[in-house]
Amino acid sequence: MDAELIYLDYAASTPVDPRVHDCMRESAEATCANPSSTHAAGRRVQAIIANAAGQLAGLLNVDPATLVWTSGATESDNLAIAGGARFRAHRGKHIVSMKTEHKAVTDVFETLAKEGYDLTWVEPGSNGLLDPAVFQAALREDTQLASIMYVNNETGVIQDIDALGTICRERDIQFHVDAAQAVGKVHIDLAALPVDLLSLTAHKFYGPKGIGALYIADRPACHVEPLLFGGGQQRRIRPGTLPADLIAGLGMTAEIAASRIDDDLAHLGTLREILWNGIREVPGVLVNGDLAGGFPGILNVSVEDVEGESLLLALEPLCVATGSACNSRAQEPSYVLRALGRSDSLAQSAIRFSMGRPTTSAEVEFAARRYRDAVARLRELAPVAAA
Ligand SMILES: *Cc1c(COP(=O)(O)O)cnc(C)c1O
């Protein structure tokens, strides 16, 4: 990584752990065979994949047979929601989610609306947390699928997945959870959680880009129609030659994460405290989300009377995000923060700091100083009327 830059965008992507690199290289060197082949070389690849499935299953406490490999969380979300809703079209046409979800969820919902599905967007509180009673009130006889994310990628807010899933189970509603920001970062025990479908991706927790998985609970009511058609791989749920090296990498990523979730959480908690203590005195600064109920790797703040794009430039060499990384090219304020009731100008000024395993106290101290100086300088240069 570029030495002059201070990377604080771990919610967008993370560096690959060296042990994961080693594992992928070893897998690539072991064989080039197609895992669908029945000869000895093919069986060697099958063993590599089975080992990785065991590692990922261990992290989530599930049977390895419940895991389907995909290209990442975008594909997992699409397969879960479009595939899940179509599989149960007979059950009803009403599906429920939130405006604060990732685009990989909301855009699939919009697509399903064009196919005749009826959408309800449930509203979180101004801190981003969804009240289970509000969720329950939105459900109908014909509600067949709900999708609520675990850790929010912009604010870090953690939803009460257990309570929401319990409500879904009582009403025979298939429950999907986008856990791209949660897997390997917070404890998830799928043997104990009432979750039917769960999306994850390796590159958000120190693995390679381009590989993820969808967990599909082993229940009769729980299944998805495929989105892709081809060979018979993965019980036809997701055909295509499996990328064994990437899968081996995801397996190792999961094994490493399982051994250090608590240490990572403690480290991130310390860093977030240093960062927040360093900027909380800035006049007009406020937290987007909920510090107490949030994942400690993310701190999202808005500030009054400062323009977001200028702030981002003034913060260099910090690599941080305005709004969500995928939408930061668009100058429009974050749709997630707008959904939390933030004004356009406050949403516009939002900066997401996201810390990771390599982040140091010195880096967040520097980041806090840079933030204070940048806000002061911009206010001096171009005082903006209060919104
Ligand atoms: C990153 C992310 C995705 C997309 O994951 P990819 O593997 O990059 O496709 C989906 N949902 C959330 C919450 C994310 O943070």
Side-chain angles (χ1 to χ4, degrees), residues 301 303 306-316 322 349-351 370-371 374-375 378:
V301 292
V303 65
V306 172
E307 200 272 312
E309 288 296 314
S310 320
L311 182 55
L312 195 68
L313 285 177
L315 285 175
E316 279 179 5
T322 51
S349 74
I351 297 289
R370 197 84 193 172
Y371 186 84
V375 169
L378 290 173

Side-chain angles (χ1 to χ4, degrees), residues 5-306:
L5 301 178
I6 295 183
Y7 187 79
L8 290 171
D9 203 11
Y10 290 87
S13 201
T14 55
V16 177
D17 188 295
R19 286 165 289 177
V20 172
H21 264 308
D22 290 346
C23 168
M24 290 195 289
R25 189 172 8 84
E26 282 161 23
S27 158
E29 283 166 5
T31 171
C32 71
N34 189 317
S36 302
S37 303
T38 44
H39 49 61
R43 288 201 301 276
R44 193 176 290 181
V45 199
Q46 288 155 26
I48 289 171
I49 293 169
N51 180 59
Q55 289 167 309
L56 181 57
L59 176 66
L60 301 170
N61 195 19
V62 297
D63 182 334
T66 57
L67 300 171
V68 172
W69 307 110
T70 66
S71 60
T74 300
E75 187 189 334
S76 296
D77 287 345
N78 276 257
L79 179 58
I81 298 163
R86 288 173 193 153
F87 175 72
R88 302 226 303 165
H90 59 277
R91 166 72 184 76
K93 286 269 176 141
H94 184 227
I95 55 180
V96 176
S97 187
M98 287 206 283
K99 279 276 164 69
T100 50
E101 294 288 311
H102 194 274
K103 286 276 184 193
V105 169
T106 56
D107 278 10
V108 186
F109 268 69
E110 301 290 0
T111 300
L112 288 173
K114 294 186 199 124
E115 289 177 21
Y117 286 84
D118 200 0
L119 318 185
T120 294
W121 303 109
V122 283
E123 303 261 345
S126 59
N127 60 1
L129 283 166
L130 175 61
D131 180 346
V134 170
F135 177 68
Q136 180 155 353
L139 305 177
R140 310 191 314 215
E141 269 306 305
D142 62 336
T143 309
Q144 57 116 311
L145 180 134
S147 181
I148 303 291
M149 77 206 305
Y150 212 121
V151 172
N152 186 275
N153 53 304
E154 290 201 32
T155 62
V157 156
I158 303 175
Q159 302 296 353
D160 189 346
I161 296 302
D162 196 3
L164 301 169
T166 301
I167 293 167
C168 289
R169 279 278 157 97
E170 283 162 0
R171 293 158 176 259
D172 186 29
I173 294 165
Q174 196 158 219
F175 185 45
H176 169 250
V177 174
D178 177 348
Q181 297 286 345
V183 167
K185 299 176 172 184
V186 299
H187 290 284
I188 299 177
D189 178 357
L190 287 176
L193 272 184
V195 167
D196 296 319
L197 304 160
L198 182 131
S199 302
L200 64 96
T201 184
H203 78 97
K204 299 288 173 71
F205 69 117
Y206 310 96
K209 294 168 180 66
I211 184 72
L214 177 65
Y215 159 77
I216 304 178
D218 184 17
R219 305 169 65 233
C222 188
H223 193 61
V224 299
E225 296 277 347
L227 301 184
L228 303 178
F229 302 89
Q233 296 95 341
Q234 307 203 81
R235 293 171 284 138
R236 296 190 187 279
I237 294 170
R238 202 286 198 172
T241 302
L242 289 174
D245 310 341
L246 289 172
I247 291 170
L250 173 49
M252 181 55 74
T253 302
E255 184 176 315
I256 294 168
S259 73
R260 54 177 301 163
I261 289 181
D262 289 319
D263 290 344
D264 284 352
L265 282 172
H267 175 60
L268 295 172
T270 305
L271 294 173
R272 187 178 63 172
E273 199 174 316
I274 295 170
L275 180 58
W276 177 231
N277 283 336
I279 64 180
R280 65 190 302 166
E281 304 295 339
V282 172
V285 77
L286 25 96
V287 173
N288 296 310
D290 186 68
L291 284 185
F295 169 65
I298 294 178
L299 179 67
N300 189 320
V301 292
S302 286
V303 65
E304 283 164 10
D305 310 336
V306 172

